[in-house]
Amino acid sequence: MEGASNGGMLYHEVQESKLCAVHCVNTVLQGPFFSEFDLAALASDLDSKERQMMLQGTTTAAAGDFLSEESHNVSLGGDFSIQVLEKALEVWDLQVIPLDCPVAEPAQIDPELENAFICHLHDHWFCIRKVNGEWYNFDSLYAAPQHFSKFYLSAYLDSLKGSGWSIFLVRGNFPKECPIFSSEASNGYGQWLSPEDAERITKSCNLTQAPPQRNNMSQQQHTERMPSLAETDLQMLSDMEDEDLRAAIAASLMDSSPATASGESSIPKTEIAASLMDSSPATASGESSIPKTENKDISEKTA
């Protein structure tokens, strides 16, 4: 277990623009060590080296896109490549290893014995980090770090892998203390929180959700990146189901044989079917879209 660091405080950064790679690196290191300009400089250096390598022993035509001015390590929106994150962490003698690599096999069996993981899907980066012996999810989309039990850590990583996330193991000698540990050292989106404050903020955010959900359910929804259905979407689905039901009833009436019993309605079933198919969805109050006067006429004729 690693010793206490930063006076027992947790360093967390909340999402700013598309700088999740910056937030990820800083939460791995537990301090505001890098800015977006630092990572951009590393990306530019990587681009130059890649162009030089492509020019060695090949023609200009074969070098292709690597000779263009467009960066292959940072997008215009601020998303950085894994190579940039690797270079940034190498400054602190930390190694980034794909979790599916043979050397990382022990971490797949006992992830709680490690110290940090980096997770990536599409354009989003975040880290899961052990701080003072406890695991936390430092996803910048969360208002505060979310505490993980050792059991949940393993299940959560398995869930990420099953959802297509790329996971990287981080090994090495992590900084024990941030050399500029103060409120003035913040980069504008970083904050120092005690574990108690982080738990309080997390609970407060969960209470404001509607409907209320358990913490692990909100984490699972974030993992799968599936947005919850809004109330209007639910109403739309309900209306669609009502339309399907009316269409099914109408089709059944039109396919049925003509009534022969003397006590049955004199209104042809095909007309009722057409009325059902042409009717608008039920109103929010639950009243039928068929005028009450028509319902009354039908009930009188069938009496």
Side-chain angles (χ1 to χ4, degrees), residues 63-136:
D65 293 339
F66 282 91
L67 294 179
S68 66
E69 293 298 325
E70 181 181 356
S71 174
H72 292 268
N73 290 288
V74 58
S75 68
L76 293 177
D79 183 43
F80 294 91
S81 68
I82 182 60
Q83 288 78 15
V84 174
L85 275 69
E86 288 176 345
K87 286 295 182 182
L89 294 175
E90 281 178 8
V91 174
W92 293 91
D93 296 325
L94 295 175
Q95 185 180 11
V96 180
I97 307 168
L99 190 58
D100 56 2
C101 183
V103 71
E105 185 174 352
Q108 301 179 33
I109 301 173
D110 295 312
E112 67 275 9
L113 299 179
E114 303 295 335
N115 285 312
F117 295 93
I118 289 176
C119 309
H120 178 254
L121 181 66
H122 302 315
D123 293 335
H124 190 60
W125 297 93
F126 73 94
C127 98
I128 302 173
R129 176 79 152 84
K130 183 164 64 176
V131 180
N132 301 325
E134 298 294 329
W135 282 97
Y136 295 89

Side-chain angles (χ1 to χ4, degrees), residues 11-287:
Y11 180 76
H12 183 62
E13 294 188 359
V14 179
Q15 184 77 21
E16 177 74 17
S17 185
K18 294 184 179 180
L19 301 180
C20 53
V22 179
H23 308 320
C24 179
V25 169
N26 284 335
T27 49
V28 167
L29 296 171
Q30 280 299 282
F33 291 88
F34 288 91
S35 69
E36 60 270 33
F37 304 106
D38 298 325
L39 294 194
L42 292 174
S44 177
D45 184 59
L46 283 170
D47 288 334
S48 298
K49 292 180 178 179
E50 288 172 355
R51 292 188 185 100
Q52 291 175 3
M53 291 181 61
M54 288 299 298
L55 286 174
Q56 293 176 358
T58 185
T59 64
T60 302
D65 293 339
F66 282 91
L67 294 179
S68 66
E69 293 298 325
E70 181 181 356
S71 174
H72 292 268
N73 290 288
V74 58
S75 68
L76 293 177
D79 183 43
F80 294 91
S81 68
I82 182 60
Q83 288 78 15
V84 174
L85 275 69
E86 288 176 345
K87 286 295 182 182
L89 294 175
E90 281 178 8
V91 174
W92 293 91
D93 296 325
L94 295 175
Q95 185 180 11
V96 180
I97 307 168
L99 190 58
D100 56 2
C101 183
V103 71
E105 185 174 352
Q108 301 179 33
I109 301 173
D110 295 312
E112 67 275 9
L113 299 179
E114 303 295 335
N115 285 312
F117 295 93
I118 289 176
C119 309
H120 178 254
L121 181 66
H122 302 315
D123 293 335
H124 190 60
W125 297 93
F126 73 94
C127 98
I128 302 173
R129 176 79 152 84
K130 183 164 64 176
V131 180
N132 301 325
E134 298 294 329
W135 282 97
Y136 295 89
N137 182 352
F138 286 94
D139 194 329
S140 55
L141 295 179
Y142 294 145
Q146 295 194 347
H147 181 263
F148 278 179
S149 67
K150 293 180 179 179
F151 171 77
Y152 188 74
L153 169 68
S154 179
Y156 189 72
L157 290 173
D158 288 340
S159 176
L160 290 180
K161 288 186 290 185
S163 299
W165 286 76
S166 298
I167 304 176
F168 302 88
L169 171 65
V170 183
R171 283 178 175 169
N173 296 318
F174 293 81
K176 294 294 183 180
E177 301 288 338
C178 177
I180 46 176
F181 176 55
S182 67
S183 59
E184 289 77 14
S186 174
N187 49 20
Y189 31 75
Q191 56 184 333
W192 297 94
L193 299 169
S194 67
E196 295 76 18
D197 287 338
E199 182 179 7
R200 175 181 54 80
I201 293 173
T202 298
K203 287 182 178 180
S204 176
C205 291
N206 290 339
L207 289 175
T208 59
Q209 292 178 352
Q213 298 176 358
R214 294 183 301 176
N215 187 32
N216 61 342
M217 287 300 295
S218 63
Q219 291 169 345
Q220 179 180 359
Q221 288 175 346
H222 167 65
T223 301
E224 298 174 349
R225 289 289 183 267
M226 291 292 291
S228 58
L229 288 174
E231 185 176 351
T232 53
D233 295 328
L234 291 173
Q235 182 62 44
M236 183 180 298
L237 288 175
S238 176
D239 293 341
M240 292 173 62
E241 291 175 354
D242 291 341
E243 291 176 358
D244 292 341
L245 179 60
R246 285 194 298 271
I249 296 174
S252 175
L253 289 171
M254 295 182 70
D255 291 339
S256 62
S257 57
T260 55
S262 58
E264 291 189 5
S265 172
S266 60
I267 300 177
K269 292 182 178 179
T270 53
E271 292 185 11
I272 301 176
S275 176
L276 285 168
M277 295 183 68
D278 293 339
S279 62
S280 58
T283 63
S285 61
E287 296 182 355

